[in-house]
Amino acid sequence: MNNHDVISTDVLIVGGGPSGLATAIELANKLEQKGVKKRIMLLEKGASIGSHILSGAVIRPKVFKDLLTTKEYDGIPFDSKVTTDVTVKLNDHSQMELPFHPPYMSNDGNYIASLAQVCKYLAGIAESKGVEIYTGFAVDDMLYNEEGKVAGVKTKDTGVDHHGEKQKNYQAGTVVEADITVLAEGTRGSLAKKVIERFNLDSGKNPQIYSLGVKEIWSVPEGNIEAGAVYHTFGYPLKDKSEFGGGFIYGLSDNRVALGLVVGLDYADPRFDTHAAMQIWKTHPYVSKFLEGGNIIEFGAKTLPEGGWNSIPKYYEDNLMIVGDSAGFLTTARLKGVHLAVRSGICAARTAMSAFEKGDTGKKTLAEYEERVNKSFIHKEMYPIRNMRAVMQDGMLLGGLKMGVQLVTGGTCLFVPKVHADADETQKLSEYQGVPFKERFSGKLEFDKKLTFDKVTDVFYSKAMHDEHQPVHLVVNHPDEFQLSNIEKYGLSEEAFCPAEVYELHIDKEGHKSLRLHAENCVHCKTCDIKSPNGGITWTTPYGGDGPEYNYM
């Protein structure tokens, strides 16, 4: 501690996404209304606000009216209001547009947006209210006081080489002490993961399960798609009962298209490749027509928490609250979480204000956060479909029927399958009885770099950069066990599921298999931390400012 700079603040927010920024803005508003002076600090690991932000994103805008003034709300850089809203069933060579919206899927009144741009805008509002925002600061550890309660965080040491040796430019991380720490790190937050384990916050809950979304933004000729058009697909190339997910195609202004494929990570095939599946999906005539004559301008990937209400951990402790995706606030049926993230930030901020008024930041006071969430539309949206993701393991027909039952009963349903962690669902090569991914799509995995792309080419369009002298931020746990299990028995499933070719299976002339890591490619989706068999990989924060540099995601 004596070798570190120490900063103190009243509230520390880790993460500059919609939940963290909403927390900051709402708390600043409440403090001003009450005439109370408190310091609010927000740390963001990206080089700038928005550079690590990726979402679909079709946004339900109403929640922003509770956060912002009319003038501030009118300035939100929404791209286009939804004008066309279609759901499509894709088969191998055909398609069928549904004549109705599946439950929860209507986008009436919603807006298509770049969440990165929305967050940049919200950051400007927060700073105008006195919030201190510091970008390019990676936080890698929690701090606890003598009673074992959360006391703040420590930013990452820099100037350390591959072997952990301090170099001439070494700089110790900064200790940031705070009365209240709010974790807004997004999906699978590395600090949230630590505190959930330390305080057993997920006791009695289903394991959180996730999906991986792979997204591209294209510039296309005029007339390919209208701004405001929304298309969602299901079916091809995913196999019912084996893979859960679907695609999205959104028309943006300036003749741009945002499109992607989202796949649940609870599949069994150790060779399944979501990035490759997305490229195959783009070749379907229904999808490719939107891209004809166009070119890619940006690529990214992100995981989403899909477990629903039954997988949400306790999201507060002494001096601590967890918001947004880090807590698991996402409506799985809609695959929407931005409005929930903002609402959770508002609830957390109002709880923090109450704690300051009472002079108590302990968990008994911060339990008001849970009360506010339960009285909000977060509970109203998530609780009635709490078993939705579980029953969809039964496939679209039976799962859809059970989903319909839940909508009538308020979430009650018989014969709900048990939910297992995504990593535990991956089968060994010797166990998997289905047709392996590469055999299923034989002849479709040569990418032309015009319509379809290999992973390295796509990573170029993410603008991902990392200081290659730093310790590798992707930690291989128990290397000997990893070799025997993840490489020999699972065939290095990490190579398939990583959308950025970070993990490479190398086979030498003698047939010896080994892992080659390309951490510089990492786009911070954290799929490896989620899906790696036996917890083989732990994702940690690299140096602040490293990673992708998204502009429009």
Side-chain angles (χ1 to χ4, degrees):
M1 293 281 288
N2 294 333
N3 295 324
H4 297 82
D5 292 330
V6 179
I7 297 174
S8 295
T9 184
D10 297 295
V11 176
L12 171 66
I13 301 166
V14 182
S19 62
L21 290 166
T23 305
I25 292 170
E26 179 69 7
L27 182 54
N29 287 339
K30 293 300 180 187
L31 290 168
E32 183 179 14
Q33 291 169 12
K34 298 286 186 178
V36 177
K37 297 290 185 181
K38 295 288 182 182
R39 187 180 188 186
I40 307 171
M41 183 183 296
L42 186 150
L43 301 180
E44 162 59 37
K45 66 182 175 67
S48 62
I49 294 293
S51 62
H52 288 179
I53 295 295
L54 185 154
S55 179
V58 173
I59 297 176
R60 304 184 74 188
K62 185 178 179 181
V63 68
F64 288 100
K65 293 184 177 180
D66 291 339
L67 179 69
L68 307 174
T69 65
T70 300
K71 182 179 179 180
E72 291 166 349
Y73 175 85
D74 290 342
I76 300 174
F78 293 133
D79 186 277
S80 306
K81 189 170 185 178
V82 175
T83 57
T84 302
D85 192 9
V86 178
T87 302
V88 187
K89 169 69 167 66
L90 298 184
N91 300 310
D92 288 12
H93 302 289
S94 62
Q95 66 276 335
M96 179 183 70
E97 293 187 357
L98 300 188
F100 59 89
H101 287 301
Y104 276 71
M105 288 297 289
S106 174
N107 284 296
D108 184 40
N110 293 342
Y111 286 83
I112 304 171
S114 159
L115 188 58
Q117 294 299 315
V118 170
C119 286
K120 288 179 187 295
Y121 175 77
L122 293 177
I125 291 176
E127 288 183 313
S128 73
K129 297 175 184 292
V131 177
E132 300 174 37
I133 296 179
Y134 300 96
T135 59
F137 282 87
V139 180
D140 68 349
D141 208 1
M142 297 295 300
L143 297 179
Y144 304 95
N145 61 23
E146 294 178 354
E147 297 175 320
K149 299 176 181 179
V150 171
V153 303
K154 186 189 78 66
T155 63
K156 194 175 185 73
D157 297 344
T158 58
V160 181
D161 69 12
H162 279 304
H163 306 290
E165 297 294 327
K166 298 176 183 178
Q167 302 301 292
K168 291 181 179 179
N169 63 337
Y170 172 76
Q171 185 170 345
T174 300
V175 168
V176 184
E177 298 175 339
D179 294 332
I180 297 176
T181 300
V182 179
L183 299 182
E185 305 168 279
T187 305
R188 192 73 164 192
S190 51
L191 297 181
K193 182 180 170 184
K194 290 181 179 180
V195 297
I196 288 170
E197 181 178 357
R198 179 184 178 98
F199 297 111
N200 200 24
L201 300 182
D202 57 356
S203 176
K205 300 290 185 176
N206 285 346
Q208 184 60 269
I209 58 176
Y210 300 84
S211 62
L212 170 63
V214 178
K215 178 183 177 182
E216 294 174 356
I217 297 179
W218 283 58
S219 175
V220 298
E222 186 174 359
N224 279 28
I225 194 170
E226 292 183 0
V230 168
Y231 302 89
H232 286 107
T233 76
F234 65 98
Y236 184 85
L238 305 181
K239 184 178 179 181
D240 193 29
K241 295 186 180 181
S242 297
E243 297 114 20
F244 174 78
F248 63 90
I249 306 163
Y250 301 154
L252 303 172
S253 60
D254 300 323
N255 299 311
R256 292 173 298 145
V257 181
L259 75 165
L261 188 70
V262 182
V263 181
L265 290 175
D266 57 346
Y267 54 78
D269 183 1
R271 296 293 195 188
F272 187 86
D273 187 327
T274 299
H275 178 275
M278 191 264 193
Q279 304 307 311
I280 295 164
W281 170 74
K282 285 192 297 179
T283 66
H284 192 284
Y286 190 88
V287 181
S288 62
K289 66 184 180 184
F290 295 109
L291 304 177
E292 187 174 354
N295 58 277
I296 185 174
I297 55 178
E298 197 158 64
F299 162 83
K302 177 189 185 293
T303 46
L304 299 84
E306 281 196 342
W309 190 261
N310 291 338
S311 296
I312 295 175
K314 179 183 172 186
Y315 38 85
Y316 65 93
E317 250 294 333
D318 290 307
N319 314 327
L320 171 76
M321 289 182 281
I322 308 173
V323 295
D325 278 359
S326 288
F329 293 128
L330 182 135
T331 305
T332 307
R334 289 193 174 103
L335 272 185
K336 288 182 175 61
V338 174
H339 64 299
L340 303 183
V342 172
R343 176 56 65 186
S344 71
I346 292 173
C347 291
R350 292 176 180 176
T351 302
M353 187 70 234
S354 177
F356 289 137
E357 289 179 324
K358 294 178 180 179
D360 177 23
T361 60
K363 59 185 173 185
K364 287 185 178 180
T365 298
L366 298 188
E368 292 179 19
Y369 176 31
E370 183 177 37
E371 294 173 11
R372 286 182 166 87
V373 167
N374 288 341
K375 291 178 181 177
S376 75
F377 63 71
I378 297 177
H379 179 272
K380 185 178 180 180
E381 281 194 23
M382 295 187 70
Y383 187 75
I385 55 168
R386 58 191 178 278
N387 292 311
M388 181 265 181
R389 188 61 180 82
V391 300
M392 292 310 295
Q393 296 177 86
D394 292 329
M396 293 300 293
L397 186 60
L398 181 56
L401 179 62
K402 289 183 176 180
M403 176 65 178
V405 170
Q406 293 180 64
L407 293 176
V408 174
T409 64
T412 302
C413 183
L414 299 176
F415 308 113
V416 176
K418 188 175 181 180
V419 174
H420 302 278
D422 295 317
D424 295 338
E425 294 285 10
T426 312
Q427 294 182 356
K428 298 173 184 175
L429 292 172
S430 61
E431 296 173 340
Y432 184 67
Q433 298 299 309
V435 179
F437 181 84
K438 289 186 178 180
E439 291 184 29
R440 280 171 59 188
F441 298 106
S442 177
K444 297 183 178 182
L445 297 173
E446 294 294 328
F447 306 126
D448 62 12
K449 297 189 179 183
K450 295 179 180 179
L451 174 63
T452 59
F453 306 96
D454 57 78
K455 294 179 180 179
V456 171
T457 300
D458 253 342
V459 168
F460 171 80
Y461 290 100
S462 75
K463 300 179 289 296
M465 296 286 288
H466 292 81
D467 183 334
E468 297 184 24
H469 297 290
Q470 67 184 299
V472 176
H473 69 281
L474 304 160
V475 179
V476 178
N477 301 314
H478 313 295
D480 291 341
E481 180 181 334
F482 189 92
Q483 178 70 34
L484 292 172
S485 175
N486 294 47
I487 293 179
E488 301 294 342
K489 295 180 181 179
Y490 289 91
L492 192 64
S493 60
E494 292 81 359
E495 182 179 50
F497 66 59
C498 173
E501 201 166 293
V502 170
Y503 302 91
E504 178 189 356
L505 180 63
H506 177 68
I507 305 176
D508 64 20
K509 295 180 180 179
E510 285 73 39
H512 176 72
K513 299 176 182 177
S514 61
L515 166 66
R516 283 186 175 176
L517 263 174
H518 304 285
E520 66 277 8
N521 288 353
C522 183
V523 293
H524 299 195
C525 69
K526 305 176 188 175
T527 306
C528 53
D529 197 288
I530 295 164
K531 186 64 174 170
S532 185
N534 304 312
I537 301 291
T538 296
W539 188 95
T540 66
T541 50
Y543 286 171
D546 285 7
E549 188 61 37
Y550 299 140
N551 290 318
Y552 306 110
M553 285 290 176

